[in-house]
Amino acid sequence: MSQPVAIVTGAGRGIGASTVTALVADGWWVAAVDRCSPHPVIAYPMASSDDLADVVTAADGNAAAFEADVSVGAAMAEVVASVTDARGRLDAVVCAAGVVAGGSPAWEIDDTEWDAVIGTDLTGVFTTARAAVPALLAAPHGRIVNVASAAGSLGLRHMSHYAAAKHGVIGFTRSLAADLAGTGVTANAVSPGSTTTAGLDESARIYGLESPEAFIRHQEPLGRLIAPDEIAAAIAWLCSPASSAITGAVLPVDGGMTATP
């Protein structure tokens, strides 16, 4: 099969869903992965099976849905095995699954909330990469793209577990790139700023804001929130052959949020 194959986690909505759309438009076949069930610790609703099905339907035969929890290594290994058995190859993995929680200072976060955020946002990147790398090594130009955050460069009041996870994603991505030296597989991260997703809605609730639009004040010099498809465009480019000289990089797609005071 000549059509390149990608796995995208967190594909039920937001950045993950937009990434599926972008990759399909570029000629990819995509395994769209999401947990599609309520999270017992996270306060806001997760993407549903119907959400994921809508993403796949829009791909017009160039995607398939997989329901799996990225924090469970065996589940991600099963996804990778299913995809490679069915399609005969794996060319790229995009780790976009993520959750948001907070509202307490670091010393008041309980174990369950800490584990929920770290488990999805950081451990989920590790389990997906660990499962995928053996298949990617056989690809003509294997790609790993991890979704970090501007929070990976900053400290966040009352969201220390989220910031820790995103700092970890950046460190893991750079280390993974070093481990992949000489293989032809690259590993990079994108760091979105305030993007119109369910996670931003939850962040606004955590901070007691009337609307996510309040985050625009952090988004200078762009002066507006970012759309998920703008993040997806950067991810799709990093998955393409055009990015062949880039590895271990962190690409800010944050409207200048981390470039200015």
Side-chain angles (χ1 to χ4, degrees), residues 40-58:
V41 178
I42 302 303
Y44 62 100
M46 300 291 99
S48 68
S49 297
D50 288 344
D51 292 330
L52 187 61
D54 288 345
V55 172
V56 169
T57 298

Side-chain angles (χ1 to χ4, degrees), residues 39 71 109-121 123 161:
H39 197 296
S71 69
I109 297 172
D110 64 29
D111 290 349
T112 56
E113 186 173 296
W114 177 271
D115 291 344
V117 174
I118 298 296
T120 298
D121 295 7
T123 303
H161 38 8

Side-chain angles (χ1 to χ4, degrees), residues 6-11 15-17 19 23 31 33 70 76 80 92-99 120-133 136 143-149 166 169 172-173 176 187-192 231 235 239:
I7 292 172
V8 177
T9 69
I15 293 170
T19 299
L23 289 173
V33 182
V70 296
M76 292 314 300
V80 171
V93 170
V94 178
C95 297
V99 296
T120 298
D121 295 7
L122 179 54
T123 303
V125 173
F126 163 66
T127 61
T128 304
R130 180 178 62 184
V133 165
L136 291 171
R143 300 284 187 264
I144 299 171
V145 183
N146 299 323
V147 177
S149 169
K166 294 305 186 177
V169 169
F172 177 73
T173 301
L176 182 60
N188 294 289
V190 296
S191 280
I231 311 299
I235 293 171
C239 288

Side-chain angles (χ1 to χ4, degrees), residues 240-252:
S240 75
S243 69
S244 58
I246 301 174
T247 192
V250 181
L251 176 61

Side-chain angles (χ1 to χ4, degrees), residues 156-169:
L156 294 183
R157 181 175 179 268
H158 287 180
M159 292 180 66
S160 59
H161 38 8
Y162 181 77
K166 294 305 186 177
H167 275 73
V169 169

